[in-house]
Amino acid sequence: MKEENIKSEYQRKVDKSLIPTCNIMGVNIAAINMNWLLKYIDENLSDIKGDYICVSNVHTTVTSYEDAAYCAVQNGGLMAIPDGGPLSSVGRKRGYSDMDRTTGPSLMGEIFKISAEKEYRHYFYGSTEETLKLLEEKLQANYPGIQIAGMYSPPFRPLTEEEDKNIIENINKTKPDFVWIGLGAPKQEKWMAEHQGKIDGLMLGVGAGFDYYAENIKRAPMWMQKSNLEWLYRLMQDPKRLFKRYFHTNTKFIWNAMIRGK
């Protein structure tokens, strides 16, 4: 994707400059915590629909450092929240004392908890039909009164222009407040950037969040989450896929962000 193609004419109704950020390896990571984020979303939801939030970690940050177009995608949304513990740790060392790890799955859970009361409507885009069916069953059981506006599992191929237009129309017909995107990085962030201003809901790229809430996979114990060791738990769950990624990105992050101060 060329950098000029991901720049949108989308005009925000809120002032993005009021969101505190810490630049880490070129990515403007929101220097926030969960309480700040939930309050911000609650107060501004009607004005931030059509925009997107990136859930950023070491992998997406290193990828952004190596790919200018993807970096522009990360920086082009409403904000990039610190899903990875190392991001918030670097931020605090750089003077952002209130910056804390704010994971995509945790954000989903906090929003799901208040959805019945707030009458939030949710759309889920991504994953497989099987996972979406499980996700719907588990959410309805665990969060009584939650409104699932719609779900769609896209094909594993590029969509035609007509297909994409139909998907946008179908999503918007459901009048969602939140549009959760589960395509995995970097695909989900690029999808959100391409649909900025076209989707009438707040888009959030949450990666494995669909699988967590469908209960296909388990999150790390809370003590590991609080100790920034959730990456190790995920590595133990899927070593073949994640070992090479973690070795590549973690070493580059330590060298560039922690040692060189990028």
Side-chain angles (χ1 to χ4, degrees), residues 12 14-21 40 74-79:
R12 290 188 174 87
V14 296
D15 186 355
K16 182 180 172 179
S17 68
L18 298 178
I19 300 171
T21 60
Y40 182 89
Q74 287 278 323
N75 289 333
L78 179 66
M79 67 180 91

Side-chain angles (χ1 to χ4, degrees), residues 174-234:
T174 70
K175 300 186 183 303
D177 294 298
F178 297 92
V179 181
W180 304 98
I181 312 299
L183 300 175
K187 187 177 180 180
Q188 64 194 12
E189 290 80 24
K190 293 180 179 180
W191 191 94
M192 293 190 297
E194 290 167 354
H195 292 80
Q196 188 180 43
K198 300 176 184 177
I199 298 293
D200 295 335
L202 176 62
M203 295 175 282
L204 302 99
V206 291
F210 286 31
D211 283 314
Y212 286 134
Y213 285 93
E215 299 180 15
N216 286 335
I217 56 177
K218 292 183 178 180
R219 287 196 71 183
M222 189 56 66
W223 71 267
M224 294 188 81
Q225 295 182 40
K226 291 181 177 180
S227 302
N228 291 343
L229 291 174
E230 191 161 16
W231 66 271
L232 179 59
Y233 189 82
R234 288 197 65 196

Side-chain angles (χ1 to χ4, degrees), residues 51-112:
D51 217 331
Y52 65 93
I53 291 177
C54 293
V55 175
S56 303
N57 52 32
V58 168
H59 171 64
T60 61
T61 303
V62 170
T63 302
S64 296
Y65 185 67
E66 298 175 335
D67 183 344
Y70 184 59
C71 187
V73 168
Q74 287 278 323
N75 289 333
L78 179 66
M79 67 180 91
I81 62 174
D83 177 90
L87 297 179
S88 54
S89 295
V90 167
R92 287 194 298 273
K93 288 180 181 179
R94 295 183 184 181
Y96 297 91
S97 58
D98 293 331
M99 190 171 175
D100 203 1
R101 185 176 184 227
T102 311
T103 74
S106 294
L107 176 61
M108 293 175 81
E110 293 296 328
I111 292 177
F112 292 158

